Amino acid sequence: MSTTRSLTDPQFELFEQLTARPFLVLDTEYCRDPDGDGDRLISLALVPVVRGRRRSATVGELYVEMNPGVPIDAATRAVHGFTDADVARKRRFAFHVGKVLAALARPDAILVAHTGADVRVLRRELERLDEAAQATGRLAPTGLADLPDLPIIDTSTLPRLLRYPGIGNRSVISLADLCRLTGVRNPQAHHARADARTTADVLIQLLIEAARNFTYRDLPSLLAAHDRGTTHTPKLPQYLTGRGLAQRGPGAAHLSRHMSPMVHAATAGEIDDWLGRALECSRLRCPHLRTEAALAAPANGTAILDLLIALLPQLTEPGQPGTLLGAVDALLTGSGPATDPPSKPALAFSRALRWWSQQRARVVASVPCSSLGRCPDCQAAAGCPRDLLYQPVTRIATLGERHVLDVSAIKDRLFGNRSDRRVHAWSERHPRETAYMTWLVATWSVEHDRDDAPFIDVAISKNIHHLEPRLALLACQRIAETHAYTTAKAVADTCLEHASTDPAYDELRLWTTWHEQAAARAAKAQAARVITHPRLARPPGRVHPNPYLPQP
Ligand SMILES: [Zn+2]
Ligand SMILES: [Zn+2]
Ligand SMILES: [Zn+2]
């Protein structure tokens, strides 16, 4: 944890600038409404940060526990621990609303929360007061209109904006991970008061970092770039609204389901929920499913991989299976020892190809993307996950336990004369995967200044070199060196016969085109030249004037 003492004078001046307005840090614990009517508050904490400091003890803090008015579902109970008996004798939200609104009615304050969920739940509770008053025909004493309009800071997306050290490419981060990054300790996670205090401490760390790097010249410009709206008009984070899909993409009702990504190890109920959302995303060809899966991968990849791909038969329109398989791809690549921080792989390397041989038929049988509907990857011309999924699977199987390729891995596991080497053991049942594995090894060899030819030759001798566009390109180049171009061209043509959306086929096509043009140029250069228009040294009738002669 850093303190303001580590700042230079100009940095400290900026820190004072950034913390000139009071921050009110909100955290809530809540449960689901059994009728699907949003969420209901169980506890709420509001912790002020004034002039860059959270005052010790309970000065100015608000903490209330209440009866949500509905039975607490098992999934949320597992998170915050409140039981029906705990809240049975507590008052309802309507009793506490005055205190909550009074605490928020602080001139010039900024509301801070980790993810947009807390503001959403608070707004929904206030809306319910309005609805109840409407139903009885009375004027609501308090309701949504009484909520002070405060700008919002979301500490789950602010670290990315500030490029906080260690944030990497995570557009959103869990409070627990953020604590690890900033060195803040949360003594009681999922208790609203502890979470709010922790979020406050984390906020201070983020603002110190912002001041240290002079990322923003003042608080208004930071708020403008953060762009999370106000308590009256909260905005979705940019990772959900960006990428220019606002017009044609899924509607706001669906987008709001992406507000709380599953970044922690989830309960069975949360996983059910997540899968329901994934199915809806797939039906809508939603581009956020990939992000959701990448965020869920480190903590939940193992738990959701098989459940997710089992949804495939339910998707019957073009573009839908591709969307789902994009999420499967994100699970495979977003977990494992190579991720930061290292996590349990969604698919163990020893099981990868066995798993794939069970799934392959399902994937092949699914509806491909077409002009009637494209998955987000097809829309970005990145190659359909439906066509590319064998690649992450093969990479996992090839790289093995330590997730690296090196000389001993290649010699002891992948290539060699013994029959247990993967190149022999796999090529019968998984010829295309073996071809991709060969390409991985060949590429690694070239990158490490080693000869890739022996591996390509093995693939050619097994006649699997035309099954994979990347390996086919290497094989064509090798064949063109030693044999005639026409032999290489035949290999390329065979490979291109079963071309898919994989962009590597375009490269192979480009290679043949380029080679044909080069061959045509070479043939032209080789051919004997016939001079049809002999050029004269000096056209008849033209003389060079002598510049030294006096001009006439
Ligand atoms: Zn909490
Ligand atoms: Zn979605
Ligand atoms: Zn597609």
Side-chain angles (χ1 to χ4, degrees):
M1 235 169 100
S2 26
T3 62
T4 50
R5 263 184 231 160
S6 63
L7 298 178
T8 63
D9 282 351
Q11 286 170 340
F12 186 71
E13 216 167 278
L14 178 56
F15 179 75
E16 284 187 315
Q17 213 309 309
L18 293 175
T19 54
R21 290 169 69 172
F23 297 95
L24 295 172
V25 185
L26 172 72
D27 193 80
T28 61
E29 302 303 321
Y30 49 87
C31 64
R32 272 184 212 118
D33 187 290
D35 303 326
D37 179 25
D39 297 309
R40 287 172 178 269
L41 281 176
I42 299 174
S43 63
L44 177 149
L46 213 50
V47 169
V49 171
V50 180
R51 281 189 215 92
R53 294 184 61 183
R54 174 171 76 80
R55 277 187 266 172
S56 53
T58 53
V59 179
E61 285 183 5
L62 172 79
Y63 178 72
V64 286
E65 288 180 2
M66 59 206 101
N67 186 331
V70 295
I72 298 173
D73 58 286
T76 46
R77 185 169 61 233
V79 174
H80 50 60
F82 282 104
T83 64
D84 290 334
D86 291 337
V87 296
R89 290 166 174 279
K90 300 208 188 298
R91 314 291 293 258
R92 300 286 298 272
F93 174 71
F95 175 81
H96 297 287
V97 65
K99 262 183 292 179
V100 173
L101 293 179
L104 285 169
R106 189 162 182 154
D108 222 24
I110 292 166
L111 190 89
V112 181
H114 195 81
T115 79
D118 304 283
V119 177
R120 190 190 67 220
V121 182
L122 178 61
R123 283 178 53 88
R124 183 71 197 106
E125 286 287 12
L126 289 164
E127 244 168 39
R128 277 199 197 97
L129 295 183
D130 290 334
E131 287 165 8
Q134 240 168 31
T136 54
R138 279 181 294 128
L139 209 65
T142 34
L144 191 54
D146 299 298
L147 178 67
D149 196 15
L150 309 177
I152 296 175
I153 283 185
D154 176 353
T155 48
S156 75
T157 56
L158 188 62
R160 176 62 183 270
L161 184 72
L162 300 176
R163 293 176 214 289
Y164 195 87
I167 186 71
N169 55 9
R170 285 176 280 191
S171 40
V172 55
I173 183 171
S174 71
L175 188 57
D177 283 347
L178 191 52
C179 283
R180 240 166 276 144
L181 272 189
T182 53
V184 169
R185 218 177 67 81
N186 187 351
Q188 201 181 353
H190 298 301
H191 183 288
R193 183 162 46 203
D195 281 351
R197 287 177 182 170
T198 304
T199 307
D201 292 344
V202 156
L203 171 78
I204 295 168
Q205 292 300 309
L206 294 176
L207 293 176
I208 289 177
E209 188 63 23
R212 193 194 312 282
N213 298 325
F214 299 100
T215 327
Y216 292 97
R217 67 173 188 283
D218 51 21
L219 188 58
S221 46
L222 184 148
L223 285 174
H226 189 42
D227 196 27
R228 295 303 304 271
T230 69
T231 47
H232 279 196
T233 49
K235 284 195 192 171
L236 287 168
Q238 275 152 359
Y239 75 93
L240 290 183
T241 55
R243 294 164 74 184
L245 38 95
Q247 331 83 342
R248 289 217 315 112
H254 173 77
L255 284 183
S256 69
R257 294 193 72 184
H258 287 294
M259 294 271 275
S260 10
M262 193 166 73
V263 283
H264 54 280
T267 62
E270 285 172 302
I271 288 179
D272 270 358
D273 244 36
W274 192 90
L275 290 167
R277 182 165 60 204
L279 193 60
E280 187 177 299
C281 287
S282 304
R283 294 215 164 106
L284 296 169
R285 304 174 187 95
C286 171
H288 305 307
L289 180 57
R290 208 176 232 287
T291 317
E292 283 272 351
L295 288 168
N300 302 291
T302 326
I304 53 182
L305 176 67
D306 285 333
L307 298 170
L308 183 65
I309 202 162
L311 299 175
L312 198 56
Q314 298 185 41
L315 300 167
T316 49
E317 284 175 37
Q320 294 178 341
T323 310
L324 185 90
L325 293 170
V328 171
D329 173 60
L331 283 185
L332 294 178
T333 50
S335 61
T339 53
D340 176 33
S343 61
K344 194 159 179 262
L347 181 62
F349 78 97
S350 52
R351 187 183 154 233
L353 283 185
R354 229 177 320 132
W355 177 85
W356 178 231
S357 58
Q358 289 155 11
Q359 308 299 338
R360 192 162 33 199
R362 259 194 212 168
V363 172
V364 171
S366 69
V367 187
C369 291
S370 71
S371 55
L372 298 173
R374 287 182 214 285
C375 72
D377 290 276
C378 278
Q379 287 172 30
C384 191
R386 210 181 143 273
D387 296 328
L388 305 184
L389 202 60
Y390 72 94
Q391 295 170 14
V393 176
T394 309
R395 175 171 278 121
I396 290 170
T398 302
L399 298 187
E401 193 170 17
R402 288 183 300 129
H403 212 85
V404 286
L405 218 48
D406 53 31
V407 178
S408 67
I410 294 171
K411 261 177 45 194
D412 301 342
R413 288 182 46 237
L414 302 173
F415 278 85
N417 292 328
R418 281 176 46 173
S419 62
D420 66 338
R421 297 296 187 259
R422 303 301 189 268
V423 69
H424 310 301
W426 288 354
S427 53
E428 280 288 303
R429 293 189 55 205
H430 310 286
R432 187 184 217 200
E433 288 70 17
T434 314
Y436 187 74
M437 182 273 278
T438 308
W439 174 76
L440 285 174
V441 171
T443 314
W444 181 90
S445 306
V446 172
E447 276 167 12
H448 292 80
D449 289 327
R450 285 161 196 277
D451 189 9
D452 61 346
F455 308 114
I456 299 171
D457 287 344
V458 171
I460 293 176
S461 74
K462 288 186 175 293
N463 199 25
I464 55 171
H465 57 298
H466 54 84
L467 295 178
E468 214 287 329
R470 290 161 188 78
L471 183 66
L473 180 58
L474 294 186
C476 284
Q477 287 165 343
R478 171 138 181 81
I479 294 170
E481 274 170 24
T482 50
H483 299 67
Y485 165 69
T486 43
T487 322
K489 168 89 164 101
V491 171
D493 286 344
T494 318
C495 181
L496 286 168
E497 261 168 40
H498 44 81
S500 70
T501 59
D502 191 336
Y505 285 105
D506 296 335
E507 258 170 69
L508 186 60
R509 221 170 267 132
L510 209 66
W511 180 81
T512 56
T513 316
W514 175 84
H515 221 285
E516 263 154 32
Q517 287 173 354
R521 268 199 308 276
K524 210 171 149 195
Q526 291 281 309
R529 287 173 58 176
V530 181
I531 298 171
T532 47
H533 300 289
R535 212 194 264 175
L536 301 173
R538 189 181 291 168
R542 253 176 81 181
V543 286
H544 287 300
N546 185 340
Y548 300 103
L549 288 179
Q551 298 290 321

